């Protein structure tokens, strides 16, 4: 998969295990469910903002039929045309292991569905298209064993957007969600973390320049509102139970085809 997807998946994996392993445990109870706190929500929300930023950056080339920023790396075949669905599709699963013998095993999954359309219906090439619909599902499963115990992660993501071709750019309207389940078992104790995260975006991305508009991320009880200023900045504010935070993320900007 492309680097921004790997960053999102592995970043959430690391944060999930840190959140679980870092909680204060009840020495009596054999299991504990860790609640989302403000610091973890901020980190995960910033990961999601980074994903949204990269999605916006990938729209100009994808809208012209260049899918290299969307699918797997260039060593693997990208989306192919499906006559039945009248769309470009990709379904890929990869397994991996680390260590000898393996101390970490798992798999990554990705599915893409891309369709160009105009007033007459779906079309194979973007020439003359008035909109593009993009759908993606991705996931990761990891099982690790070591001196500190056993950890597991299950992550599933789905997102979609409709891109409308406008003069000198594109309008993006999209939503998505992710479900993360993680656990760490050590010293006969198991600590669990469950999180549902959702997001939405309403952006205008010029062919040359920076996106403008709004986005949001909802991580548990914490909500982040994002304002894109069209100058390469994404200004965000997070609010939730007993926690607020704000900041600025740098946004990739298009330089034309």
């Amino acid at each position: 998969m492309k680097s921004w997807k790997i960053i999102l998946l592995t970043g959430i994996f690391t944060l999930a295990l840190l959140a679980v392993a870092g909680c204060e445990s009840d020495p009596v109870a054999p299991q504990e469910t860790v609640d989302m706190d403000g610091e973890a929500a901020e980190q995960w929300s910033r990961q999601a903002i980074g994903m949204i930023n990269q999605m916006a950056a990938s729209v100009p080339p994808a809208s012209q039929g260049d899918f290299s920023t969307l699918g797997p790396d260039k060593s693997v075949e990208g989306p192919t045309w499906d006559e039945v669905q009248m769309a470009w599709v990709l379904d890929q699963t990869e397994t991996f292991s680390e260590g000898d013998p393996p101390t970490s095993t798992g798999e990554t999954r990705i599915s893409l569905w891309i369709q160009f359309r105009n007033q007459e219906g779906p079309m194979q090439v973007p020439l003359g298209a008035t909109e593009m619909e993009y759908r993606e599902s991705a996931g990761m499963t990891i099982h690790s064993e070591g001196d500190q115990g056993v950890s597991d992660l299950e992550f599933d993501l789905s997102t979609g957007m409709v891109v409308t071709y406008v003069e000198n750019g594109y309008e993006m309207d999209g939503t998505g969600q992710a479900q993360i389940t993680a656990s760490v078992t050590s010293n006969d104790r198991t600590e669990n973390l469950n999180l549902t995260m959702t997001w939405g975006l309403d952006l205008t991305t010029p062919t040359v320049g920076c996106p403008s508009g709004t986005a949001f991320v909802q991580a548990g009880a914490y909500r982040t509102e994002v304002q894109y200023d069209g100058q390469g900045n994404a200004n965000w504010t997070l609010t939730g139970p007993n926690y607020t935070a704000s900041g600025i993320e740098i946004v990739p900007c298009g330089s034309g085809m």
Side-chain angles (χ1 to χ4, degrees):
M1 287 182 289
K2 275 293 172 182
S3 59
W4 67 265
K5 296 187 181 72
I6 294 175
I7 290 171
L8 176 71
L9 294 173
T10 57
I12 287 181
F13 171 65
T14 302
L15 291 170
L17 296 186
L18 286 174
V20 174
C23 74
E24 296 183 0
S25 303
D26 181 346
V28 178
Q31 292 208 27
E32 181 175 350
T33 298
V34 181
D35 294 328
M36 171 61 60
D37 63 17
E39 184 176 349
E42 178 182 343
Q43 293 182 72
W44 280 358
S45 296
R46 293 181 68 179
Q47 289 273 347
I49 293 170
M51 181 192 68
I52 292 171
N53 294 346
Q54 292 296 333
M55 287 175 62
S58 71
V59 163
S63 66
Q64 300 302 317
D66 177 2
F67 304 141
S68 61
T69 60
L70 298 176
D73 61 38
K74 294 182 179 180
S75 65
V76 181
E77 183 180 2
T80 57
W81 176 250
D82 187 304
E83 290 281 358
V84 176
Q85 300 184 63
M86 296 292 286
W88 293 86
V89 299
L90 170 73
D91 289 289
Q92 178 183 313
T93 299
E94 295 181 355
T95 59
F96 62 86
S97 62
E98 297 179 356
D100 186 19
T103 57
S104 180
T105 59
E107 71 171 23
T108 59
R109 307 173 293 275
I110 184 170
S111 176
L112 301 178
W113 187 94
I114 304 163
Q115 185 180 74
F116 301 107
R117 297 190 290 257
N118 63 14
Q119 297 86 340
E120 297 179 358
M123 51 202 303
Q124 184 173 354
V125 296
L127 183 63
T130 56
E131 67 179 22
M132 175 186 72
E133 183 174 356
Y134 171 82
R135 305 176 196 165
E136 176 183 352
S137 60
M140 176 181 284
T141 302
I142 300 177
H143 175 79
S144 298
E145 299 183 10
D147 295 339
Q148 302 301 314
V150 178
S151 61
D152 289 278
L153 174 94
E154 182 75 26
F155 173 83
D156 288 289
L157 171 152
S158 62
T159 191
M161 62 180 171
V162 174
V163 177
T164 303
Y165 295 65
V166 296
E167 185 176 3
N168 299 321
Y170 312 91
E171 293 180 352
M172 304 167 52
D173 185 6
T175 59
Q177 64 178 1
Q179 179 69 44
I180 304 102
T181 303
S183 68
V184 174
T185 299
S186 180
N187 299 323
D188 298 323
R189 287 192 47 80
T190 298
E191 295 163 334
N192 303 301
L193 178 69
N194 297 298
L195 170 69
T196 297
M197 184 166 60
T198 60
W199 57 85
L201 56 100
D202 184 2
L203 300 175
T204 298
T205 299
T207 304
V208 179
C210 306
S212 59
T214 60
F216 76 86
V217 180
Q218 186 79 40
Y222 299 84
R223 185 177 180 89
T224 302
E225 299 286 350
V226 191
Q227 182 73 46
Y228 292 78
D229 64 5
Q231 302 298 315
N233 302 304
N235 301 275
W236 58 269
T237 301
L238 179 148
T239 57
N242 302 313
Y243 193 89
T244 60
S246 61
I248 301 174
E249 304 295 324
I250 303 303
V251 183
C253 299
S255 57
M257 297 291 292

Short mmCIF file of all heavy atoms in Angstrom, two decimals, residues 196-252:
data_model
loop_
_atom_site.label_atom_id
_atom_site.label_comp_id
_atom_site.label_asym_id
_atom_site.label_seq_id
_atom_site.Cartn_x
_atom_site.Cartn_y
_atom_site.Cartn_z
N THR A 196 -14.26 3.55 17.82
CA THR A 196 -14.87 3.84 16.52
C THR A 196 -14.56 5.30 16.19
O THR A 196 -14.80 6.19 17.00
CB THR A 196 -16.38 3.63 16.54
OG1 THR A 196 -16.66 2.24 16.82
CG2 THR A 196 -17.00 3.98 15.19
N MET A 197 -14.02 5.51 15.02
CA MET A 197 -13.66 6.85 14.58
C MET A 197 -14.36 7.13 13.26
O MET A 197 -14.41 6.27 12.38
CB MET A 197 -12.14 6.96 14.41
CG MET A 197 -11.64 8.33 14.03
SD MET A 197 -9.83 8.48 14.24
CE MET A 197 -9.23 7.20 13.12
N THR A 198 -14.95 8.33 13.11
CA THR A 198 -15.60 8.72 11.87
C THR A 198 -15.04 10.05 11.41
O THR A 198 -14.47 10.80 12.21
CB THR A 198 -17.12 8.83 12.04
OG1 THR A 198 -17.42 9.83 13.04
CG2 THR A 198 -17.74 7.50 12.46
N TRP A 199 -15.20 10.35 10.12
CA TRP A 199 -14.73 11.62 9.60
C TRP A 199 -15.56 12.03 8.39
O TRP A 199 -16.28 11.21 7.79
CB TRP A 199 -13.24 11.56 9.22
CG TRP A 199 -12.91 10.50 8.22
CD1 TRP A 199 -12.97 10.56 6.87
CD2 TRP A 199 -12.46 9.17 8.52
NE1 TRP A 199 -12.59 9.38 6.29
CE2 TRP A 199 -12.26 8.50 7.29
CE3 TRP A 199 -12.19 8.48 9.72
CZ2 TRP A 199 -11.83 7.18 7.23
CZ3 TRP A 199 -11.76 7.18 9.64
CH2 TRP A 199 -11.58 6.54 8.42
N GLY A 200 -15.47 13.28 8.05
CA GLY A 200 -16.14 13.80 6.87
C GLY A 200 -15.36 14.97 6.31
O GLY A 200 -14.60 15.62 7.04
N LEU A 201 -15.52 15.23 5.03
CA LEU A 201 -14.78 16.32 4.40
C LEU A 201 -15.64 16.98 3.32
O LEU A 201 -16.43 16.33 2.65
CB LEU A 201 -13.47 15.82 3.80
CG LEU A 201 -13.55 14.68 2.79
CD1 LEU A 201 -13.45 15.22 1.36
CD2 LEU A 201 -12.44 13.66 3.03
N ASP A 202 -15.49 18.27 3.21
CA ASP A 202 -16.16 19.08 2.19
C ASP A 202 -15.12 20.11 1.72
O ASP A 202 -14.99 21.18 2.30
CB ASP A 202 -17.39 19.75 2.78
CG ASP A 202 -18.18 20.53 1.73
OD1 ASP A 202 -17.79 20.53 0.55
OD2 ASP A 202 -19.19 21.16 2.10
N LEU A 203 -14.37 19.73 0.69
CA LEU A 203 -13.21 20.52 0.28
C LEU A 203 -13.28 20.87 -1.20
O LEU A 203 -13.87 20.15 -2.00
CB LEU A 203 -11.92 19.73 0.53
CG LEU A 203 -11.61 19.31 1.97
CD1 LEU A 203 -10.35 18.45 2.00
CD2 LEU A 203 -11.45 20.53 2.86
N THR A 204 -12.65 21.97 -1.54
CA THR A 204 -12.38 22.34 -2.92
C THR A 204 -10.87 22.28 -3.12
O THR A 204 -10.12 22.94 -2.38
CB THR A 204 -12.90 23.74 -3.25
OG1 THR A 204 -14.33 23.76 -3.09
CG2 THR A 204 -12.55 24.11 -4.68
N THR A 205 -10.44 21.46 -4.08
CA THR A 205 -9.01 21.29 -4.34
C THR A 205 -8.70 21.81 -5.73
O THR A 205 -9.17 21.24 -6.73
CB THR A 205 -8.62 19.81 -4.24
OG1 THR A 205 -8.87 19.33 -2.93
CG2 THR A 205 -7.14 19.62 -4.56
N PRO A 206 -7.94 22.89 -5.85
CA PRO A 206 -7.59 23.40 -7.17
C PRO A 206 -6.56 22.52 -7.85
O PRO A 206 -5.78 21.82 -7.19
CB PRO A 206 -7.04 24.79 -6.88
CG PRO A 206 -6.48 24.68 -5.50
CD PRO A 206 -7.37 23.71 -4.77
N THR A 207 -6.54 22.55 -9.16
CA THR A 207 -5.50 21.82 -9.89
C THR A 207 -4.12 22.31 -9.50
O THR A 207 -3.18 21.54 -9.34
CB THR A 207 -5.71 21.99 -11.41
OG1 THR A 207 -7.04 21.57 -11.75
CG2 THR A 207 -4.71 21.16 -12.18
N VAL A 208 -3.99 23.62 -9.36
CA VAL A 208 -2.75 24.23 -8.88
C VAL A 208 -3.10 25.04 -7.64
O VAL A 208 -3.87 26.00 -7.71
CB VAL A 208 -2.11 25.13 -9.95
CG1 VAL A 208 -0.85 25.77 -9.41
CG2 VAL A 208 -1.83 24.34 -11.21
N GLY A 209 -2.55 24.66 -6.50
CA GLY A 209 -2.85 25.37 -5.27
C GLY A 209 -3.22 24.44 -4.14
O GLY A 209 -2.99 23.23 -4.19
N CYS A 210 -3.82 25.00 -3.09
CA CYS A 210 -4.08 24.28 -1.85
C CYS A 210 -5.58 24.16 -1.58
O CYS A 210 -6.36 25.03 -1.97
CB CYS A 210 -3.43 25.01 -0.68
SG CYS A 210 -1.66 25.34 -0.92
N PRO A 211 -6.00 23.08 -0.91
CA PRO A 211 -7.42 22.89 -0.65
C PRO A 211 -7.98 23.90 0.34
O PRO A 211 -7.28 24.39 1.23
CB PRO A 211 -7.49 21.46 -0.09
CG PRO A 211 -6.13 21.20 0.44
CD PRO A 211 -5.18 21.97 -0.42
N SER A 212 -9.28 24.18 0.18
CA SER A 212 -10.01 25.02 1.13
C SER A 212 -11.31 24.31 1.46
O SER A 212 -11.81 23.49 0.70
CB SER A 212 -10.28 26.40 0.54
OG SER A 212 -11.05 26.29 -0.66
N GLY A 213 -11.86 24.62 2.64
CA GLY A 213 -13.10 24.00 3.06
C GLY A 213 -13.01 23.48 4.48
O GLY A 213 -12.22 23.99 5.29
N THR A 214 -13.80 22.46 4.80
CA THR A 214 -13.87 21.97 6.17
C THR A 214 -13.82 20.45 6.21
O THR A 214 -14.08 19.77 5.22
CB THR A 214 -15.17 22.42 6.85
OG1 THR A 214 -16.30 21.91 6.12
CG2 THR A 214 -15.25 23.94 6.91
N ALA A 215 -13.46 19.94 7.39
CA ALA A 215 -13.49 18.50 7.65
C ALA A 215 -13.73 18.32 9.15
O ALA A 215 -13.60 19.28 9.94
CB ALA A 215 -12.20 17.83 7.23
N PHE A 216 -14.08 17.11 9.55
CA PHE A 216 -14.22 16.80 10.98
C PHE A 216 -13.74 15.38 11.22
O PHE A 216 -13.73 14.53 10.32
CB PHE A 216 -15.67 16.96 11.46
CG PHE A 216 -16.57 15.83 11.04
CD1 PHE A 216 -16.69 14.66 11.79
CD2 PHE A 216 -17.32 15.92 9.87
CE1 PHE A 216 -17.52 13.62 11.39
CE2 PHE A 216 -18.15 14.89 9.46
CZ PHE A 216 -18.25 13.73 10.23
N VAL A 217 -13.34 15.12 12.46
CA VAL A 217 -13.00 13.78 12.92
C VAL A 217 -13.67 13.57 14.27
O VAL A 217 -13.54 14.41 15.17
CB VAL A 217 -11.47 13.60 13.07
CG1 VAL A 217 -11.16 12.18 13.55
CG2 VAL A 217 -10.75 13.89 11.76
N GLN A 218 -14.38 12.47 14.41
CA GLN A 218 -15.02 12.11 15.68
C GLN A 218 -14.33 10.85 16.20
O GLN A 218 -14.44 9.78 15.60
CB GLN A 218 -16.52 11.85 15.50
CG GLN A 218 -17.27 11.61 16.79
CD GLN A 218 -17.58 12.89 17.56
OE1 GLN A 218 -17.92 13.90 16.95
NE2 GLN A 218 -17.48 12.85 18.87
N ALA A 219 -13.59 10.96 17.31
CA ALA A 219 -12.89 9.84 17.92
C ALA A 219 -13.46 9.62 19.31
O ALA A 219 -13.15 10.38 20.24
CB ALA A 219 -11.39 10.11 17.98
N GLY A 220 -14.29 8.62 19.46
CA GLY A 220 -14.97 8.42 20.73
C GLY A 220 -15.82 9.63 21.06
O GLY A 220 -16.63 10.08 20.25
N ALA A 221 -15.63 10.19 22.25
CA ALA A 221 -16.40 11.36 22.68
C ALA A 221 -15.73 12.67 22.28
O ALA A 221 -16.19 13.74 22.67
CB ALA A 221 -16.58 11.32 24.20
N TYR A 222 -14.68 12.61 21.48
CA TYR A 222 -13.90 13.79 21.13
C TYR A 222 -14.10 14.14 19.66
O TYR A 222 -14.02 13.28 18.79
CB TYR A 222 -12.42 13.55 21.42
CG TYR A 222 -12.15 13.26 22.87
CD1 TYR A 222 -12.29 11.97 23.37
CD2 TYR A 222 -11.78 14.27 23.75
CE1 TYR A 222 -12.06 11.69 24.71
CE2 TYR A 222 -11.55 14.01 25.10
CZ TYR A 222 -11.69 12.71 25.57
OH TYR A 222 -11.49 12.44 26.90
N ARG A 223 -14.34 15.42 19.41
CA ARG A 223 -14.59 15.87 18.04
C ARG A 223 -13.58 16.93 17.65
O ARG A 223 -13.30 17.86 18.41
CB ARG A 223 -16.01 16.44 17.90
CG ARG A 223 -16.38 16.83 16.46
CD ARG A 223 -17.82 17.31 16.38
NE ARG A 223 -18.21 17.69 15.03
CZ ARG A 223 -18.73 16.86 14.13
NH1 ARG A 223 -18.89 15.59 14.45
NH2 ARG A 223 -19.07 17.27 12.93
N THR A 224 -13.04 16.78 16.45
CA THR A 224 -12.09 17.74 15.91
C THR A 224 -12.69 18.39 14.68
O THR A 224 -13.11 17.71 13.74
CB THR A 224 -10.77 17.04 15.53
OG1 THR A 224 -10.22 16.39 16.68
CG2 THR A 224 -9.76 18.05 15.00
N GLU A 225 -12.74 19.71 14.67
CA GLU A 225 -13.19 20.48 13.52
C GLU A 225 -11.96 21.05 12.82
O GLU A 225 -11.05 21.58 13.47
CB GLU A 225 -14.11 21.63 13.96
CG GLU A 225 -15.38 21.19 14.68
CD GLU A 225 -16.41 20.59 13.73
OE1 GLU A 225 -16.23 20.68 12.49
OE2 GLU A 225 -17.41 20.03 14.23
N VAL A 226 -11.95 20.95 11.50
CA VAL A 226 -10.78 21.36 10.72
C VAL A 226 -11.20 22.39 9.67
O VAL A 226 -12.20 22.20 8.97
CB VAL A 226 -10.12 20.16 10.00
CG1 VAL A 226 -8.76 20.56 9.43
CG2 VAL A 226 -9.97 18.97 10.95
N GLN A 227 -10.44 23.47 9.59
CA GLN A 227 -10.69 24.52 8.61
C GLN A 227 -9.46 24.64 7.71
O GLN A 227 -8.36 24.91 8.17
CB GLN A 227 -10.96 25.86 9.30
CG GLN A 227 -11.27 27.00 8.34
CD GLN A 227 -12.67 26.88 7.74
OE1 GLN A 227 -13.63 26.61 8.45
NE2 GLN A 227 -12.77 27.07 6.42
N TYR A 228 -9.67 24.45 6.40
CA TYR A 228 -8.60 24.58 5.41
C TYR A 228 -8.65 25.98 4.82
O TYR A 228 -9.70 26.40 4.32
CB TYR A 228 -8.76 23.53 4.31
CG TYR A 228 -8.54 22.12 4.79
CD1 TYR A 228 -9.52 21.43 5.50
CD2 TYR A 228 -7.33 21.46 4.54
CE1 TYR A 228 -9.31 20.14 5.95
CE2 TYR A 228 -7.11 20.17 4.99
CZ TYR A 228 -8.11 19.51 5.69
OH TYR A 228 -7.90 18.23 6.13
N ASP A 229 -7.51 26.66 4.86
CA ASP A 229 -7.51 28.08 4.49
C ASP A 229 -7.12 28.36 3.05
O ASP A 229 -7.05 29.51 2.63
CB ASP A 229 -6.61 28.88 5.44
CG ASP A 229 -5.13 28.48 5.34
OD1 ASP A 229 -4.77 27.64 4.48
OD2 ASP A 229 -4.33 29.01 6.14
N GLY A 230 -6.83 27.31 2.27
CA GLY A 230 -6.45 27.52 0.88
C GLY A 230 -5.02 28.00 0.71
O GLY A 230 -4.58 28.27 -0.41
N GLN A 231 -4.28 28.11 1.82
CA GLN A 231 -2.89 28.58 1.78
C GLN A 231 -1.92 27.49 2.23
O GLN A 231 -0.74 27.78 2.48
CB GLN A 231 -2.73 29.81 2.68
CG GLN A 231 -3.64 30.96 2.32
CD GLN A 231 -3.37 31.49 0.92
OE1 GLN A 231 -2.21 31.69 0.54
NE2 GLN A 231 -4.43 31.72 0.15
N GLY A 232 -2.41 26.26 2.36
CA GLY A 232 -1.54 25.16 2.77
C GLY A 232 -1.62 24.82 4.24
O GLY A 232 -0.78 24.06 4.74
N ASN A 233 -2.63 25.36 4.94
CA ASN A 233 -2.78 25.10 6.37
C ASN A 233 -4.13 24.47 6.67
O ASN A 233 -5.15 24.86 6.08
CB ASN A 233 -2.65 26.39 7.17
CG ASN A 233 -1.33 27.08 6.93
OD1 ASN A 233 -0.28 26.50 7.11
ND2 ASN A 233 -1.39 28.34 6.52
N ALA A 234 -4.12 23.51 7.59
CA ALA A 234 -5.35 22.94 8.13
C ALA A 234 -5.40 23.27 9.62
O ALA A 234 -4.65 22.70 10.42
CB ALA A 234 -5.40 21.43 7.91
N ASN A 235 -6.24 24.21 9.99
CA ASN A 235 -6.37 24.65 11.38
C ASN A 235 -7.42 23.79 12.08
O ASN A 235 -8.57 23.73 11.64
CB ASN A 235 -6.77 26.12 11.43
CG ASN A 235 -5.77 27.03 10.74
OD1 ASN A 235 -4.80 27.44 11.33
ND2 ASN A 235 -6.02 27.32 9.46
N TRP A 236 -7.04 23.13 13.17
CA TRP A 236 -7.95 22.21 13.82
C TRP A 236 -8.13 22.54 15.30
O TRP A 236 -7.25 23.08 15.95
CB TRP A 236 -7.47 20.77 13.68
CG TRP A 236 -6.09 20.49 14.23
CD1 TRP A 236 -4.90 20.56 13.57
CD2 TRP A 236 -5.77 20.12 15.58
NE1 TRP A 236 -3.85 20.26 14.41
CE2 TRP A 236 -4.35 19.98 15.64
CE3 TRP A 236 -6.51 19.89 16.73
CZ2 TRP A 236 -3.69 19.62 16.82
CZ3 TRP A 236 -5.86 19.53 17.91
CH2 TRP A 236 -4.46 19.40 17.93
N THR A 237 -9.33 22.20 15.79
CA THR A 237 -9.66 22.37 17.21
C THR A 237 -10.38 21.13 17.69
O THR A 237 -11.37 20.70 17.09
CB THR A 237 -10.57 23.59 17.43
OG1 THR A 237 -9.91 24.77 16.95
CG2 THR A 237 -10.89 23.76 18.91
N LEU A 238 -9.87 20.54 18.75
CA LEU A 238 -10.46 19.33 19.34
C LEU A 238 -11.11 19.68 20.66
O LEU A 238 -10.53 20.38 21.48
CB LEU A 238 -9.39 18.26 19.53
CG LEU A 238 -9.82 16.93 20.17
CD1 LEU A 238 -9.00 15.77 19.61
CD2 LEU A 238 -9.68 16.95 21.70
N THR A 239 -12.32 19.17 20.86
CA THR A 239 -13.02 19.35 22.13
C THR A 239 -13.60 18.02 22.58
O THR A 239 -13.99 17.18 21.76
CB THR A 239 -14.17 20.37 22.01
OG1 THR A 239 -15.07 19.95 20.98
CG2 THR A 239 -13.62 21.76 21.67
N GLY A 240 -13.64 17.82 23.89
CA GLY A 240 -14.19 16.59 24.46
C GLY A 240 -14.20 16.67 25.96
O GLY A 240 -13.89 17.74 26.54
N PRO A 241 -14.52 15.59 26.64
CA PRO A 241 -14.62 15.61 28.10
C PRO A 241 -13.31 16.04 28.77
O PRO A 241 -12.30 15.36 28.66
CB PRO A 241 -14.95 14.15 28.43
CG PRO A 241 -15.58 13.60 27.19
CD PRO A 241 -14.88 14.29 26.07
N ASN A 242 -13.34 17.20 29.41
CA ASN A 242 -12.21 17.70 30.18
C ASN A 242 -10.93 17.83 29.35
O ASN A 242 -9.82 17.72 29.89
CB ASN A 242 -11.94 16.79 31.39
CG ASN A 242 -13.14 16.66 32.30
OD1 ASN A 242 -13.77 17.65 32.65
ND2 ASN A 242 -13.46 15.42 32.66
N TYR A 243 -11.08 18.11 28.05
CA TYR A 243 -9.88 18.19 27.21
C TYR A 243 -10.17 19.04 25.99
O TYR A 243 -11.20 18.88 25.32
CB TYR A 243 -9.45 16.80 26.75
CG TYR A 243 -8.07 16.74 26.14
CD1 TYR A 243 -6.95 16.53 26.93
CD2 TYR A 243 -7.88 16.91 24.77
CE1 TYR A 243 -5.67 16.47 26.39
CE2 TYR A 243 -6.61 16.86 24.21
CZ TYR A 243 -5.51 16.63 25.02
OH TYR A 243 -4.25 16.58 24.47
N THR A 244 -9.27 19.98 25.70
CA THR A 244 -9.32 20.75 24.46
C THR A 244 -7.91 20.87 23.92
O THR A 244 -6.93 20.83 24.67
CB THR A 244 -9.90 22.16 24.67
OG1 THR A 244 -9.07 22.86 25.61
CG2 THR A 244 -11.33 22.09 25.20
N ALA A 245 -7.81 20.99 22.61
CA ALA A 245 -6.51 21.15 21.97
C ALA A 245 -6.73 21.80 20.62
O ALA A 245 -7.83 21.74 20.05
CB ALA A 245 -5.80 19.80 21.81
N SER A 246 -5.69 22.42 20.09
CA SER A 246 -5.77 23.02 18.77
C SER A 246 -4.39 23.03 18.14
O SER A 246 -3.37 22.88 18.82
CB SER A 246 -6.33 24.45 18.84
OG SER A 246 -5.49 25.28 19.63
N GLY A 247 -4.36 23.20 16.82
CA GLY A 247 -3.08 23.22 16.14
C GLY A 247 -3.25 23.46 14.66
O GLY A 247 -4.36 23.71 14.16
N ILE A 248 -2.15 23.37 13.93
CA ILE A 248 -2.14 23.57 12.50
C ILE A 248 -1.36 22.43 11.85
O ILE A 248 -0.26 22.10 12.29
CB ILE A 248 -1.49 24.91 12.11
CG1 ILE A 248 -2.26 26.08 12.75
CG2 ILE A 248 -1.44 25.08 10.59
CD1 ILE A 248 -1.58 27.42 12.54
N GLU A 249 -1.95 21.81 10.83
CA GLU A 249 -1.25 20.80 10.04
C GLU A 249 -0.93 21.40 8.67
O GLU A 249 -1.74 22.14 8.10
CB GLU A 249 -2.12 19.55 9.88
CG GLU A 249 -2.58 18.92 11.18
CD GLU A 249 -1.44 18.39 12.01
OE1 GLU A 249 -0.48 17.87 11.43
OE2 GLU A 249 -1.51 18.49 13.27
N ILE A 250 0.23 21.06 8.14
CA ILE A 250 0.63 21.50 6.82
C ILE A 250 0.01 20.58 5.76
O ILE A 250 0.08 19.36 5.89
CB ILE A 250 2.16 21.53 6.68
CG1 ILE A 250 2.77 22.43 7.76
CG2 ILE A 250 2.56 22.03 5.29
CD1 ILE A 250 2.26 23.85 7.76
N VAL A 251 -0.59 21.17 4.75
CA VAL A 251 -1.36 20.41 3.76
C VAL A 251 -0.59 20.35 2.44
O VAL A 251 -0.10 21.38 1.95
CB VAL A 251 -2.73 21.08 3.51
CG1 VAL A 251 -3.57 20.26 2.54
CG2 VAL A 251 -3.46 21.28 4.83
N PRO A 252 -0.47 19.16 1.82
CA PRO A 252 0.13 19.08 0.48
C PRO A 252 -0.71 19.86 -0.52
O PRO A 252 -1.95 19.83 -0.47
CB PRO A 252 0.12 17.58 0.18
CG PRO A 252 -0.03 16.89 1.49
CD PRO A 252 -0.84 17.82 2.34
#
